[in-house]
Structures are given as C-alpha cells and as structure tokens.
Amino acid sequence: MYDVGLLLETNELVQRMPVRFLDGALLFQYDKETFDEYAIRSIIAFCNRVVRDYPIGIPIVFQFTEKIKFVNKLVFILFECVCKFMVSKGYPITLRMLPTLQINTHGFESSPLNLLISSKTTRTSRFEDKFEKDLFGRHYRGILSEEAAKENLSFIMGDVSTFQLIGNIAEDDRDMVAEVIAELVGNAQEHGKSDCLYDFDITPPYRKKGSDKKYRGLNIVIMNLSSKLLGTDLRQKLLETKQNELLGRYAQVLAAYTKHKDFWGELYKEEDFFNIATFQNKISGRIENSCTGGTGLTKLIHSLEEKSDSYSCFVQSGKRQIKFEHEFMNYKDNWIGFNRSINFLMCPPSDEILRESRIYLPGTAYNLTFVMETDDE
C-alpha cells in the first residue's frame, strides 16, 4: 500500500485559525499565484485540522483565487497525495483552480487532480484509480509494490522506452531515461522497503521566443513514502559497524565523515553527507553488502543534462534537497565530487546544490526535468 498518510503524519502542522465554511463545505482558500512548498505546508496544516476536529463526510473545497503556477512537478504530486489521503478518510473534495502550465509542469494536464475540478463527487473513484495507474496520451504512471518481483523492473524499463516514441525522443536518450527510471524505482523498492510511485510525462513541442527550434519537456517524479530516508541505511552501516570491519571504500567514506564534521553548519548538514555518499560508486547501505553498490545513476543523469537545452533535477529526503548540477557531477579517482574541486573525501559539497525544504518528505523523491530539442514537424 502506498502510504500517503505518512506525509501528513510527519508534518505535524495544524492550522490555528478556525476552518471557514462555504455552502456547507470546509473551505481552504489560497490567494497567491505561486504554488510551492508554502502552499503544500498550508494545505497539510488545514487537512490535519480537519481530520482532528471535523467528522468525516463533510465536503472540502480547495479554492485558488489566482491563476496558479506550480514551481515543479513534485509539488502537484504531493498535492495529489494529500487529496488521496483525505478522500480515503471519507472527505469528498472539490478543487477550484486554473493552473498556468509551463514546460516543466505541463504534466498537470494528465494529473488525477483534474477529476476533482468539478462539483461532482462521483469522480472520486476515478481519481483513486488514476492515482494508482495511468497510461494515456503523453502520461505514464504506476506504483510498484514493495513485494513485486524484480522482473517487473524490466517491464517498466521496456514500457518507459516504448512510451517515449510518442515524443519522438532519440533512441539513445530513450534508453538512458528508461534506465534512470527503472534504477530509481528499484532502489526505492529495495532500500526504502516501501511501494514506489513513478510518474513520467512528455510535453507537446514548445518553441523558444525568437527561434524556430522546437523542444519537448521530459518530466519525471519517482517517490517512495517511508520512515527510511535516503541516507538512513548507510549512516547505520558506517557508524554501527566496527571500524576494523569496514573495508576499502567504506573505510574511506568513514574517514571523510570525520573530516566533514568540521564543515557542517547552517548550509551543510550531517544528513547531506550521507545522502551524497549514497551516490558514490561501490557504496551501499545494505548491511550484507560490503564491496558493491553505486549505480552509475549520476553518470546517466549527468549525460542527459549535457544533452538537454535546459534541465532541473533534484532529490529530496526528509527536509534536505540535493540539486544535480552537471558542473558538480564530475568524477575523479572514481569519486563524484559534488563540488568544483571534484574532491568528495576532503572537501564539502558546493553550497549551490544544497537546500532546506519547507516540508518534510518521509522517504525519497526525485524530480527530474530535461528539455530536449526535437525535430517534430
């Protein structure tokens, strides 16, 4: 089961102001144009207040007075999760919103939220179905259960590759995107010990102002909701294993951990160290695995970024985000630097790639956008 309730449980926010009513429905009103983490915080606080103080069955209206712009794909998928939770609790939901779609958020046109932009509560069951699975037009979505066989990843990889034909994506790029998605889904299933949602949309062609060139956006979110964060297992492995039992690269990572303590502060935190360390080659948090790990995932993302006209890629776990900026994703001596000096072992990551989110994400989420030139007629 994809545990959307964790998102509300771990963000212990409760709206202080009394909940307003509109025509017998509980009203959440948002008056800003930008739909970002602050919007999600406000929505979670509202929903936690509703669940605590109001009986099930009372309708909820989410009313957005401005034409909103989502900052990325992840924020509207988090909103989907909140709505999914409230619907499962027995609160009928209606959305009153008019989004402005951009190349990185065009996938909203296929979001299950569109089924709630209506006064007809009979669409609730369709919303729940579409939340779980969708393959229509330029949208591909599913949830891989924790118990699913590993062979399912091969099917997902093949489906993702075939799906991209609709966007006229080059074969090499299709293969890399399919490998990235399958790898991230597999990692979430194995390490997060939870179900994993994957959502991929390809935009229609966009034109740049003053240019005849056409571009498509490839927008991907991979998210598992779990009590385990990205660096949880590796932290446990490094700090709870006897030092003389840590061999090779693990001993080097432990030495780096000691060195990096001097760098921690407001911008760079201990969680960031373990999150970054999980992307190092031949490093794994699995207790039974001492000599393998690492995936080449960052090399694939790096290659896709270099092929893109523009991109925006990051991972969030807990409240910490790491941006995948290709200038900081170079390797030296088989270590990825995440800094200009290309020195993970001795130097801190660049401040430019680290960020504190306004919401806590239980588990791990990847938001990847690649804008690729296309030769569509």
Side-chain angles (χ1 to χ4, degrees):
M1 176 181 139
Y2 196 66
D3 193 359
V4 290
L6 274 177
L7 184 61
L8 285 83
E9 292 169 15
T10 55
N11 287 275
E12 298 176 348
L13 307 164
V14 178
Q15 179 174 302
R16 294 181 181 179
M17 295 177 60
V19 175
R20 294 164 56 193
F21 278 82
L22 176 68
D23 298 329
L26 299 164
L27 175 67
F28 174 88
Q29 182 166 306
Y30 191 74
D31 299 321
K32 297 178 181 178
E33 182 179 290
T34 302
F35 191 108
D36 54 12
E37 295 167 352
Y38 290 92
I40 292 293
R41 274 179 63 90
S42 299
I43 289 168
I44 289 175
F46 168 83
C47 290
N48 280 336
R49 177 70 183 264
V50 169
V51 171
R52 189 189 73 180
D53 294 346
Y54 295 88
I56 62 173
I58 301 179
I60 294 173
V61 172
F62 289 100
Q63 180 166 280
F64 299 85
T65 58
E66 300 292 329
K67 197 171 183 180
I68 60 172
K69 291 182 180 179
F70 298 107
V71 294
N72 53 48
K73 182 180 179 78
L74 180 60
V75 292
F76 71 73
I77 287 186
L78 291 175
F79 188 28
E80 292 174 5
C81 290
V82 174
C83 289
K84 175 73 162 60
F85 175 77
M86 297 305 288
V87 166
S88 70
K89 284 287 186 180
Y91 296 94
I93 288 179
T94 298
L95 306 183
R96 295 177 182 173
M97 65 194 312
L98 184 61
T100 299
L101 303 184
Q102 303 173 95
I103 198 166
N104 65 326
T105 58
H106 200 104
F108 182 83
E109 69 174 6
S110 300
S111 168
L113 292 173
N114 287 284
L115 294 168
L116 301 178
I117 304 179
S118 166
S119 60
K120 298 177 182 178
T121 57
T122 54
R123 290 186 171 194
T124 297
S125 61
R126 290 177 58 196
F127 165 79
E128 293 182 292
D129 290 342
K130 193 174 174 70
F131 181 92
E132 299 282 339
K133 186 176 182 180
D134 188 45
L135 178 54
F136 182 77
R138 297 186 301 270
H139 185 226
Y140 175 57
R141 182 190 197 138
I143 294 177
L144 185 69
S145 72
E146 179 187 350
E147 298 80 17
K150 289 189 176 181
E151 289 77 10
N152 287 20
L153 292 175
S154 298
F155 298 137
I156 291 173
M157 192 169 176
D159 287 347
V160 169
S161 184
T162 303
F163 165 71
Q164 293 175 82
L165 292 172
I166 196 172
N168 199 25
I169 309 301
E171 184 177 359
D172 288 349
D173 298 340
R174 292 202 309 268
D175 291 344
M176 281 194 286
V177 169
E179 191 172 347
V180 166
I181 291 177
E183 180 129 8
L184 289 176
V185 172
N187 286 349
Q189 182 195 38
E190 183 173 358
H191 303 300
K193 301 298 181 187
S194 63
D195 297 352
C196 180
L197 179 147
Y198 51 94
D199 191 295
F200 181 20
D201 73 83
I202 300 175
T203 72
Y206 275 71
R207 264 200 180 94
K208 276 187 176 181
K209 289 183 179 178
S211 172
D212 290 331
K213 292 182 178 179
K214 294 181 180 179
Y215 301 86
R216 286 187 185 268
L218 280 63
N219 301 306
I220 303 162
V221 165
I222 310 291
M223 182 169 66
N224 73 295
L225 297 175
S226 165
S227 58
K228 278 192 175 186
L229 300 184
L230 178 61
T232 297
D233 284 347
L234 183 58
R235 186 184 194 282
Q236 181 181 355
K237 182 173 185 173
L238 285 180
L239 302 187
E240 296 182 12
T241 303
K242 294 179 181 178
Q243 288 194 26
N244 60 359
E245 295 178 3
L246 288 172
L247 305 176
R249 292 172 69 83
Y250 288 94
Q252 290 178 275
V253 174
L254 183 60
Y257 172 78
T258 302
K259 174 71 175 175
H260 280 234
K261 287 180 180 179
D262 296 333
F263 305 136
W264 293 338
E266 188 172 341
L267 295 178
Y268 177 40
K269 302 180 184 297
E270 183 181 16
E271 306 99 285
D272 300 320
F273 174 84
F274 288 107
N275 289 343
I276 287 171
T278 62
F279 294 108
Q280 299 297 341
N281 190 35
K282 296 187 181 299
I283 296 298
S284 170
R286 286 169 287 181
I287 300 300
E288 72 280 3
N289 192 329
S290 61
C291 59
T292 62
T295 60
L297 170 68
T298 48
K299 288 185 177 180
L300 289 168
I301 294 175
H302 183 264
S303 296
L304 285 167
E305 288 179 343
E306 288 190 319
K307 289 187 167 198
S308 301
D309 180 75
S310 62
Y311 65 88
S312 177
C313 301
F314 67 88
V315 60
Q316 180 172 340
S317 189
K319 281 196 167 185
R320 302 301 294 171
Q321 287 185 2
I322 299 173
K323 296 179 184 177
F324 296 120
E325 295 286 349
H326 72 84
E327 63 184 296
F328 301 118
M329 294 175 67
N330 295 305
Y331 281 79
K332 185 177 180 180
D333 299 327
N334 218 17
W335 298 96
I336 185 171
F338 285 101
N339 50 39
R340 285 192 170 86
S341 58
I342 321 178
N343 191 338
F344 160 71
L345 297 177
M346 300 299 294
C347 301
S350 170
D351 290 344
E352 297 173 49
I353 68 168
L354 303 176
R355 182 176 176 273
E356 179 94 354
S357 173
R358 297 294 298 174
I359 60 170
Y360 182 90
L361 195 146
T364 303
Y366 293 84
N367 189 113
L368 311 175
T369 289
F370 306 102
V371 178
M372 300 272 195
E373 187 175 346
T374 180
D375 57 2
D376 285 313
E377 296 297 331

